Amino acid sequence: MALTGGSGFIGRAFAEAARRSGYRIRHLSRQCPVGEDEWCFLDLSASDIGSPDLKGCHALIHLAAHIPADHQDPAEAARCWQVNALGTLRLVEAAVRDGAGRIMQTSSANAYAPATNPPDESAPLFPRSRGYYLGSKIMQEIYATERCRAAGLMLQTLRLGSVYGPGQRSGALGAMMRAAAGGIIRVQGEGRFGSDLVPVKDVVQAMLLLLDSEESGPFNVGSGTRTTIAALAHFLAERTGAAITHEVADNEDWGFPALNIDRLRALGYRPTSLVDGLRGISVGLKISPSI
């Protein structure tokens, strides 16, 4: 299989699991990875990505994306569109040209329009925040779907919740765990921001399930539960003894909803509990299931 985004924490976890399952991997990236996997140069930010070699690959696994350092910066809109939307379209063209059997891509479940009930895969996409990035992920889905439909190529899109796990370099959850280890967890405002937290091992579980499935289209990947910053702070404090302080914040962001994951559950997907998910990355913390 061909793999983009193999250097990210999701890509590394998937590649390791895929090798154990007997898959051979050809990385598509700007830098040659360490190890015995195959490699082909690819720069999705280029206006011409060249001709990445996908010959002999039964699947293209597309994880690479540009995520802005500052989601409020309008200058990021062009780069998000160039890499996430147009870069994906050019990559799909290469997969069609070289006869790949299927494409699996990751998108963001945070792009759903605000809703009172957990959105399923038929719910409308219209993000209330982080529009430059999430808008480009919606366009990525539209472009890939349009081209794959015309070519008769299977497309599986994983709409991911808020992913966390070992090797993650950013994210509120990791920052809060480091703060808990230091003894003080600082919460902005009332901590109303929330999202559907999903450990990276569950994303890998979903990817391997779908590789063995002939089901196509979008799939929500999450826990089915929305966790707020306030709830997460209390969760960590109760298990580590850390103190919680609240800092003044104007116009708190509500965040994102829990996801309806019924479609993936029907294929055998089983989400990990928050306790078990955190235990896997709680180096230096004493995370126990008891309160």
Side-chain angles (χ1 to χ4, degrees):
M1 67 175 66
L3 173 66
T4 74
S7 62
F9 82 106
I10 298 176
R12 293 194 302 271
F14 170 72
E16 182 178 344
R19 291 188 204 99
R20 289 198 303 267
S21 297
Y23 290 102
R24 292 174 55 196
I25 298 173
R26 181 180 303 161
H27 291 272
L28 306 179
S29 59
R30 284 177 291 187
Q31 295 183 333
C32 181
V34 176
E36 298 180 358
D37 293 338
E38 298 178 20
W39 173 68
C40 178
F41 179 82
L42 174 69
D43 183 0
L44 286 174
S45 66
S47 57
D48 180 2
I49 66 170
S51 300
D53 183 9
L54 277 70
K55 295 182 181 65
C57 296
H58 84 286
L60 166 63
I61 312 298
H62 179 34
L63 308 180
H66 173 66
I67 302 176
D70 180 2
H71 283 281
Q72 304 302 316
D73 183 1
E76 290 285 3
R79 182 166 174 81
C80 284
W81 181 63
Q82 177 70 33
V83 174
N84 301 336
L86 289 182
T88 294
L89 178 59
R90 296 177 182 119
L91 193 57
V92 171
E93 286 285 358
V96 171
R97 178 199 66 211
D98 289 345
R102 73 173 68 196
I103 295 175
M104 181 184 294
Q105 65 174 355
T106 51
S107 186
S108 178
N110 293 339
Y112 282 117
T116 54
N117 296 318
D120 64 13
E121 291 82 359
S122 65
L125 298 168
F126 198 99
R128 64 188 295 169
S129 64
R130 298 161 177 78
Y132 304 129
Y133 169 66
L134 293 175
S136 74
K137 297 300 283 184
I138 295 172
M139 291 308 302
Q140 172 185 331
E141 288 198 35
I142 292 172
Y143 288 175
T145 299
E146 184 74 12
R147 187 64 187 95
C148 286
R149 182 189 298 117
L153 180 60
M154 175 186 280
L155 175 65
Q156 297 168 316
T157 299
L158 285 75
R159 292 177 179 165
L160 306 182
S162 297
V163 186
Y164 67 92
Q168 188 178 20
R169 297 188 181 94
S170 61
L173 190 149
M176 290 182 69
M177 292 188 71
R178 290 190 294 272
I184 300 177
I185 303 172
R186 293 178 173 83
V187 175
Q188 297 293 317
E190 297 301 316
R192 295 191 182 98
F193 181 93
S195 62
D196 191 320
L197 297 174
V198 55
V200 66
K201 66 179 180 180
D202 283 5
V203 176
V204 172
Q205 176 195 168
M207 294 174 72
L208 293 177
L209 280 172
L210 289 173
L211 278 173
D212 287 334
S213 170
E214 293 304 311
E215 295 290 326
S216 62
F219 298 84
N220 288 339
V221 184
S223 65
T225 301
R226 181 175 182 267
T227 302
T228 65
I229 292 295
L232 184 58
H234 284 289
F235 178 95
L236 292 172
E238 289 169 345
R239 288 160 172 79
T240 64
I244 300 175
T245 64
H246 289 267
E247 300 180 351
V248 176
D250 296 326
N251 301 318
E252 277 190 71
D253 188 350
W254 180 85
F256 310 104
L259 301 174
N260 181 318
I261 55 174
D262 290 348
R263 189 175 189 215
L264 201 54
R265 280 186 185 273
L267 298 179
Y269 174 76
R270 296 295 179 265
T272 301
S273 70
L274 183 61
V275 169
D276 289 338
L278 290 181
R279 189 180 292 119
I281 60 172
S282 58
V283 178
L285 294 181
K286 295 181 179 178
I287 301 293
S288 81
S290 61
I291 295 177

